[in-house]
Amino acid sequence: MQTNTSRRVFLSAAAAGAGGLLLSGSALPSGLPYGRVFRTDPFTLGVASGDPTADGIVLWTRLALDPLAPDGSGAMPNRPVEVDWQLARDERFSDVVSSGTATARPEQAHSLHIEVNGLQPGREYFYRFRTDGYISPAGRTRTTPTGTSPFRFAIAACAQWEHGYYTAYRRIAEQEPDLVVHLGDYIYEYGPKGYTAPSGVVRLHAGRKCQSLGDYRLRLAQYKSDPDLQAAHHAAPWLVVFDDHEVENNWAGPVSSTGAADFRRRQAAAFQAYYENMPLRRSSLPNGGSIRINRRITWGDLATFHLLDTRQFRDDQACGDGDRNGCDERLDTGRTILGADQREWILDGLAASRTRWNFVGQQIIMAQRDVRTGPGMDLNMDSWDGYAADRTRLLRGIASSGVSNPVVLTGDAHMHHANLLRPDFGDPASPAVAVELVTSSISSDGDGYRDLAWVAEVERENPHIAYIDQRRGYILCTASQDELRADFRTLDYITRRGAPAKTAATFTIPSGHAQLNA
């Protein structure tokens, strides 16, 4: 958590690429017959780490000579490539604790997922890769601690390439968090100008609307070529889950929102490409047309992250999707967004948890949000409002589980929210059982704004919503035994580079109380 000079040196060197600092230190394994087979650097997509444990971490990279190669191959040769990797205690790699050689295969888009074990808990490490004489940028990562030491984590979501620059990712990297939690819409599937923002198109998607495996590989490579996104990956380990745009807008289980006849094949392609490009463990390797992303990560005795999947197991959206008034279908007790098995999994896990804080990472707004002024309600059928009975089952289950300090972490909305979660939103006296922190977008919907009149109306219609901000940004959280502090960070523009980030609002959640203190 503490800032120190060596980290600043590391971050500036990582931003500069694979030169200077990154080439110094102890040598990588040299048993391979390197001979400059590649004409250009294959580490154009950077490196990443994720899903830390007390003694292990996942290290990731994907080789791509040209991220924009139209077939999604990264212009890599259609053959396996041997890659060396190193993990060290210091950024100069003078104290290497683990190393090896792995094979990047074309059937996995030349990606690597190295699961390193046998590490020390609560420890900072640095890692890098080499092939054909080229050395990757170095990444900083860490294992989870034992005990209850405070830690910081960033919450991010929704980064539409065409809508703006990823300055918010750069600002996250500069904060040097211990962990980044990304809650979906890492990419968008639209073709060029397929979804425009009010502030216009800043840069164009490569390729067409994503449909094939090659399309998704190309889109992910384009996004991961961004230096600000790479900086955020290089700064800390990530926990990732997808939402809808990693496949198709507002898809629901096996149902395509566009009626695509080949949707199962498209899902399988999207899941394969997502796994190839994320620092996920083998337990998330796709199996046919499915992939497991619901999982748990513990952070010592202080916190557990319970990550949910609100796409693969949901029923189709009620009343034809969209914002609806008077949709009785959304109240059907048989409708589900989690599926019975996953609902049992999350409630059992919450009841069994012994950590001080329990973070439920998921994709869409859980609190009821009525955007109609006066009588009646306009509710979003793609959010938990379209699955009201399943939400009530979950919130009542949280209340009866006795779990310590449940806090729901949410993306998707492109606006910051701070909410109280009640089993009965129609009764303001219904006790809050959890707090919800909703992050705005990294870039989606372009330059943000503050419509204070609209915000006041929505907060008046929804007394459980304490804060809304329509600017772009992220949330920086600090967890300790006594409280959770949430700093809502905002940027005034993202259609130009270089915007500063500022803390627009801060809320604290005292341990033992589902409340928001401004």
Side-chain angles (χ1 to χ4, degrees), residues 369-418:
R369 191 180 69 163
D370 172 19
V371 296
R372 173 184 285 251
T373 301
M377 292 191 296
D378 279 346
L379 304 171
N380 182 356
M381 295 300 102
D382 187 60
S383 73
W384 284 81
D385 279 333
Y387 304 82
D390 222 18
R391 176 175 62 195
T392 300
R393 284 189 288 264
L394 176 61
L395 293 179
R396 286 178 177 170
I398 289 174
S400 63
S401 70
V403 64
S404 175
N405 296 317
V407 178
V408 175
L409 312 178
T410 300
D412 182 66
H414 305 177
M415 302 179 195
H416 285 320
H417 289 68

Side-chain angles (χ1 to χ4, degrees), residues 214-226:
D215 294 336
Y216 287 107
R217 284 172 167 172
L218 168 58
R219 185 61 49 81
L220 279 152
Q222 181 181 31
Y223 277 52
K224 294 187 82 70
S225 70
D226 185 273

Side-chain angles (χ1 to χ4, degrees), residues 21 70 81 85 115-116 145-146 161 191 198 293 337 383 385 425 450 500 510-511:
L21 168 64
V81 176
W85 59 270
E115 298 187 22
V116 185
T146 57
W161 176 272
I293 61 166
I337 193 169
S383 73
D385 279 333
F425 288 101
R450 289 225 73 193
S511 179

Side-chain angles (χ1 to χ4, degrees), residues 400-464:
S400 63
S401 70
V403 64
S404 175
N405 296 317
V407 178
V408 175
L409 312 178
T410 300
D412 182 66
H414 305 177
M415 302 179 195
H416 285 320
H417 289 68
N419 306 325
L420 296 177
L421 296 177
R422 309 181 190 279
D424 184 359
F425 288 101
D427 178 8
S430 175
V433 301
V435 168
E436 180 178 27
L437 304 176
V438 183
T439 185
S440 187
S441 64
I442 294 293
S443 65
S444 300
D445 284 343
D447 286 340
Y449 56 95
R450 289 225 73 193
D451 185 343
L452 295 178
W454 181 87
V455 168
E457 288 180 1
V458 173
E459 291 180 353
R460 189 163 48 247
E461 293 292 326
N462 304 271
H464 50 275

Side-chain angles (χ1 to χ4, degrees), residues 107-135:
E107 56 267 30
Q108 292 289 327
H110 290 95
S111 65
L112 291 174
H113 301 75
I114 310 297
E115 298 187 22
V116 185
N117 298 305
L119 305 178
Q120 295 176 337
R123 171 89 207 196
E124 180 180 80
Y125 291 96
F126 298 84
Y127 62 97
R128 63 183 179 179
F129 298 84
R130 186 181 79 167
T131 190
D132 193 34
Y134 291 97
I135 298 179

